[in-house]
Amino acid sequence: MSTPAVEFSGVTKRFGEVVAVDSVDLEIADGEFFALLGPSGCGKTTSLRMIAGLDLPSEGSLKIHGEEVGPLPPNKRPVNTVFQNYALFPHLTIADNVGFGLKMQKVDKAEIGRRVAEAIELVQLGGMERRKPTQLSGGQQQRVALARALVNRPRVLLLDEPLAALDLKLRQGMQNELKALQREVGITFVFVTHDQEEALSMADRIGVMGDAKLLQVGRPEEIYEQPVSRFVADFIGRSNFLPGTVAGDDAITLANGAAITGPTTGRSAGTAVDVSLRPERVRLEARGAAPADRPSIDGVVRTATFLGNAMVYSLGLDWLELEARIENRPSQARFAPGDEISVWWRDDAIAVVDGGR
Amino acid sequence: MTDTVHPLTAHERAHESAESRRGFLLALPAYLYLLVFFALPLAIVFVYSFATRNRTGGTDLSGWNLDSYGRLGDEIVTRVVMRSFGLAMVTTIVCLLLAYPFAYFVSTRRPAVRGLLLVGVMIPFWTNFLVRNYAWRVLLSNDGPVSELTQLLGLGETRILFTQTAVVLGLVYSFLPFMILPLYASLERIDGRLVEASRDLYASSWASFRRVILPLSRPGAIAGSILVFVPSFGAYVTPAILGGDKKPLLGSYIVSQFLTARNWPFGASLSAVLIVVMLSATLVYFRAGGRNL
C-alpha cells in the first residue's frame, strides 16, 4: 500500500483536564473519502482541527503524506478546510475569497485569475465573482467555501460538518455533488459529521468516534453489519439489544434461556454479551408459524405504526421490548396490537457485542 | 420586502396612527430638551454670525451682513485653524496607535478579564475632567514628579508644560477611552473562525491580521477617530490648562472673541464654520468607511 494521506499514531489532545481525543491510531488512504462520525463532543472536530493545524496534538505523531506535521502551523500544511458555517471573509468579494489562499502563497496575478475562474466554474457559481458573501444563499456560500479550499489543490481536503447548515433538500443534493466532485478532483476528503446517513451514503470508509476514542473503522457496510460495540450499533442506525452469555464457540444463551448461534469471535464461555438485531432483520410470524428448525421467541404486538413503505411494530416479549420493521409487500401479513406472534431471525442477521453498557 | 401593497383597512390605519402617536409622545421630552438647549442656541449662534459688532462691543442685530465671514481668511485665523487641525490629527493618530493594541489585547481575553479591563478604561471618568487636567499640570510642571524623575536619571529638567506636547498628552489622555471602546466593540465582534480560515489558507499570523482583522475592525477605528478628532479640534479646557496662551488654538481663539475682543459676530461665524466643517468631515468619513464594511 502507498503512503497514507493522513496517519495518526497514538494522538492525544487534552484541553486542560479534558481529554478531547484519546490515543487515536488511524490511517486514511490517498484519494479516499473518509468520514469521521460521532455524536457532538466525541472529538471528531478536534481530530480534524489537528490535521489542519488549528489545534496541536498533546501527544503522538501526525503525518500527512508521510511527513510529520505535529508542530507545523496551519499555513505550512498541504491541507485546506471547508469550515462549518463556511467562515467566508465578509469584506471580500467571492473572487477575492476564492483567490485568498493563492494570493497568500504569492502565486502570480494572471495565474490566480485563471485558477479562481476555474474553481468558480467547478462549483457552478459563474457570474457571482463580484458579489459579497452576504449576497449569496446558504447553498451558494457552501460552494464558495468549497472553491476557496479546492483552488489551492490541497493534498487533503478537510470538511467540518459542511452540510449541517443547509436545509434537507439542499443537503441531499449537495451529498451527491460532493461525492461526484471528490471523484472528479481525486483529492483525499476527510469529512466530519454527526449524521450517520450522510456518512453511510458518502464515505468510502467511516471512523466512528465516541467519548474521545476511535471505536471502529471500516466500510459503511462493515460498520452497519458488524458493529464492534453496543455504542456503534446504537449510533449507526437503530438496533435491538438482546442480553445473553457466551455458551461456547459461536453459541449464545439468551437471557430467556433460548440457545442461538452467532459469531462470538473468541469470547470465552460465560462472557456477558448483547446480541444486536436490527429492526429490519426481525422476522415476524403469527404465533407458531415460525420455521420449526429455528429458535423463535413468542410475544405480543404492543403497537403497530404505518409508515407507508413499512410497518414498525413494538413487540412485547416476556423479558424485553423489541422493535421490528417490516417492509410493506402485497403478500405481507399485517398485525394489530394484541396479536400473538413469534419472532425469529437468520443467523447472519445478528452481531454480537460486549454486554452491559 | 413585499411586492404587492395592500390598501390598509380603516381599522389598520387607525391602529398605525395610534402607534406612531404613542411613539411621538414617548420621544417628546427628548425632542423638547434638544430643541430648547441645543437647536435654539445653535440657531442663535448662526444668527449672531451675520450681525455687526458696534463700537461699544455690543452686537447690532439689525443690518445683516457677511463681514464676519470675510475675516475667516485672515492669516491669524488660518494659522489658528491649521494649528488646531494638526494637533487634533496628531492626537487622533496617537490615540489610534495606543488604543489598537490594547483593544486587541482586551478582545482576546477571557470574558471575565475583559470586563475588568474595560472597567479600568472607564475609571478616569469617575473624576472630574477639569480636576484631571489640573492633575497633569502638577505632574508636568518644571518641579513636578516627571521632571524630578528625569533629573534623577540625569536627563535634565523636563520643560513640557505650556507646550503643544503637553496639550497632545492631555488630549490623548482625555479622549483615549473614546478610541478604545468602539475599537474593542468591533474587534470583539470578529468571528474567530475567519482568522482560522485565513491561517488555513496559507496566511502567516501577520498576513492574517492585515488581511482579516484590520479591515474588519475598520468601523471601530472610524468611529473612534471621529469621537477623538471632533472634540480635539475644538478643545478648550485642556489647551487652556496645559498649553499656555502663546499659541492659541481654535477653541480658545473663539472664546477670546466672545470674552476679550467682545466681537460676538466674529466668534459666532468661527463657531458656525467649525460646526459645518466637522459635520461634513464626519459624513464623508462615514461614507468612505461604510462602503467597504
Side-chain angles (χ1 to χ4, degrees):
Chain A
M1 214 174 112
S2 60
T3 322
V6 180
E7 188 181 354
F8 285 73
S9 327
V11 171
T12 294
K13 176 65 184 178
R14 275 184 288 270
F15 293 106
E17 298 282 285
V18 185
V19 178
V21 174
D22 193 356
S23 53
V24 164
D25 294 298
L26 172 65
E27 285 187 7
I28 298 170
D30 195 11
E32 189 171 35
F33 198 132
F34 191 90
L36 271 173
L37 174 66
S40 59
C42 72
K44 58 189 192 300
T45 295
T46 305
S47 301
L48 194 82
R49 289 172 59 85
M50 284 193 283
I51 305 176
L54 299 168
D55 284 324
L56 298 179
S58 312
E59 271 168 42
S61 133
L62 210 167
K63 290 178 181 164
I64 297 174
H65 285 277
E67 195 200 335
E68 177 67 42
V69 294
L72 283 184
N75 52 327
K76 306 269 197 242
R77 297 183 181 215
V79 302
N80 289 112
T81 309
V82 175
F83 287 84
Q84 192 171 9
N85 302 323
Y86 325 132
L88 300 179
F89 304 121
H91 57 299
L92 299 179
T93 61
I94 299 314
D96 289 343
N97 261 284
V98 174
F100 191 93
L102 296 175
K103 191 170 172 182
M104 291 299 113
Q105 294 176 93
K106 311 230 163 22
V107 173
D108 74 63
K109 272 226 167 84
E111 169 88 358
I112 293 180
R114 204 174 49 70
R115 276 166 71 176
V116 165
E118 219 177 80
I120 287 178
E121 206 50 53
L122 182 72
V123 296
Q124 298 155 30
L125 280 178
M128 304 283 181
E129 290 86 350
R130 303 253 63 85
R131 300 212 189 161
K132 290 284 177 72
T134 47
Q135 293 169 292
L136 301 189
S137 70
Q140 289 170 326
Q141 291 184 25
Q142 154 86 72
R143 288 156 194 270
V144 176
L146 260 173
R148 186 177 69 170
L150 284 172
V151 76
N152 304 294
R153 298 178 188 150
R155 305 204 58 179
V156 180
L157 183 74
L158 309 172
L159 303 104
D160 187 4
E161 305 254 5
L163 306 181
L166 303 179
D167 60 56
L168 186 67
K169 258 237 166 89
L170 212 51
R171 193 153 67 220
Q172 286 164 345
M174 275 311 282
Q175 282 183 14
N176 297 333
E177 247 178 83
L178 264 182
K179 187 76 193 144
L181 192 69
Q182 195 259 344
R183 259 188 237 113
E184 193 178 331
V185 295
I187 293 172
T188 311
F189 276 31
V190 182
F191 183 101
V192 157
T193 182
H194 66 270
D195 182 332
Q196 39 116 357
E197 261 178 56
E198 215 166 86
L200 289 173
S201 66
M202 293 166 75
D204 297 325
R205 284 197 310 153
I206 296 174
V208 183
M209 289 191 75
D211 203 16
K213 289 192 169 68
L214 185 63
L215 302 170
Q216 186 173 5
V217 179
R219 286 179 292 106
E221 309 88 90
E222 283 170 5
I223 301 263
Y224 189 80
E225 305 287 357
Q226 293 136 33
V228 295
S229 68
R230 183 168 172 151
F231 178 89
V232 174
D234 207 22
F235 191 73
I236 312 287
R238 301 178 63 86
S239 201
N240 299 295
F241 296 99
L242 290 69
T245 43
V246 175
D249 269 357
D250 290 346
I252 296 162
T253 310
L254 293 181
N256 68 339
I260 65 162
T261 307
T264 53
T265 50
R267 290 181 179 86
S268 54
T271 312
V273 292
D274 278 326
V275 171
S276 165
L277 176 61
R278 301 276 183 200
E280 73 272 16
R281 301 284 162 79
V282 176
R283 299 290 187 90
L284 196 54
E285 314 287 349
R287 176 75 54 88
D293 56 334
R294 310 261 350 142
S296 66
I297 305 172
D298 293 342
V300 178
V301 174
R302 291 263 166 78
T303 65
T305 310
F306 179 68
L307 290 184
N309 58 356
M311 291 292 295
V312 170
Y313 297 102
S314 172
L315 308 171
L317 310 185
D318 290 345
W319 48 301
L320 80 154
E321 285 268 311
L322 202 66
E323 186 181 305
R325 183 189 170 96
I326 311 290
E327 293 297 315
N328 273 336
R329 267 179 249 109
S331 59
Q332 182 64 51
R334 296 247 184 105
F335 299 94
D339 287 359
E340 301 200 316
I341 44 89
S342 293
V343 163
W344 64 283
W345 57 86
R346 290 163 49 107
D347 285 345
D348 59 2
I350 57 173
V352 178
V353 298
D354 286 334
R357 268 267 136 180
Chain B
M1 226 188 290
T2 51
D3 343 338
T4 49
V5 180
H6 299 286
L8 297 179
T9 64
H11 193 74
E12 280 171 324
R13 258 200 308 276
H15 179 73
E16 278 202 355
S17 70
E19 282 280 296
S20 72
R21 209 177 317 127
R22 196 172 320 133
F24 176 74
L25 283 174
L26 284 171
L28 194 59
Y31 274 134
L32 280 176
Y33 183 91
L34 285 173
L35 184 73
V36 174
F37 296 106
F38 178 71
L40 212 58
L42 208 61
I44 292 172
V45 169
F46 275 100
V47 168
Y48 266 67
S49 72
F50 296 106
T52 319
R53 176 186 189 268
N54 63 25
R55 231 167 291 147
T56 56
T59 304
D60 215 342
L61 279 174
S62 63
W64 287 21
N65 59 68
L66 291 172
D67 292 355
S68 300
Y69 288 93
R71 282 193 56 197
L72 290 176
D74 287 5
E75 205 205 325
I76 168 81
V77 178
T78 334
R79 228 178 316 128
V80 166
V81 168
M82 289 317 287
R83 189 185 296 140
S84 297
F85 183 84
L87 227 64
M89 281 302 278
V90 171
T91 302
T92 307
I93 291 167
V94 172
C95 276
L96 196 56
L97 292 178
L98 287 177
Y100 203 103
F102 181 77
Y104 183 73
F105 174 78
V106 176
S107 72
T108 52
R109 296 307 99 182
R110 284 181 295 118
V113 180
R114 285 184 210 171
L116 215 64
L117 288 167
L118 288 178
V119 169
V121 171
M122 321 262 209
I123 283 179
F125 290 121
W126 298 352
T127 313
N128 180 282
F129 181 67
L130 210 59
V131 172
R132 283 183 282 138
N133 274 284
Y134 272 109
W136 273 107
R137 190 157 166 167
V138 173
L139 284 173
L140 297 178
S141 69
N142 292 354
D143 48 5
V146 173
S147 187
E148 274 176 27
L149 187 71
T150 54
Q151 277 170 322
L152 215 66
L153 294 172
L155 298 170
E157 211 182 46
T158 307
R159 296 179 169 280
I160 58 168
L161 190 59
F162 306 133
T163 64
Q164 299 204 348
T165 315
V167 175
V168 170
L169 205 82
L171 289 175
V172 167
Y173 165 76
S174 305
F175 299 134
L176 192 58
F178 297 115
M179 185 67 90
I180 291 175
L181 296 177
L183 262 179
Y184 165 76
S186 70
L187 282 167
E188 191 256 352
R189 264 206 313 267
I190 297 177
D191 187 345
R193 278 173 307 191
L194 294 177
V195 177
E196 292 191 338
S198 69
R199 300 283 282 140
D200 183 68
L201 293 163
Y202 311 106
S204 62
S205 45
W206 165 247
S208 169
F209 172 77
R210 205 169 78 80
R211 303 279 175 186
V212 179
I213 297 174
L214 206 57
L216 288 176
S217 61
R218 209 152 96 176
I222 288 174
S225 298
I226 290 169
L227 288 177
V228 171
F229 183 83
V230 168
S232 297
F233 194 29
Y236 170 65
V237 173
T238 303
I241 294 173
L242 299 175
D245 44 15
K246 264 168 263 157
K247 291 183 170 170
L249 295 173
L250 194 52
S252 49
Y253 189 65
I254 292 174
V255 170
S256 72
Q257 292 311 315
F258 279 100
L259 302 184
T260 316
R262 295 204 61 80
N263 191 343
W264 287 28
F266 184 46
S269 69
L270 278 169
S271 306
V273 169
L274 182 63
I275 290 166
V276 171
V277 167
M278 298 229 262
L279 206 63
S280 21
T282 307
L283 284 176
V284 169
Y285 208 22
F286 262 125
R287 280 274 170 78
R291 211 178 303 131
N292 294 308
L293 298 188

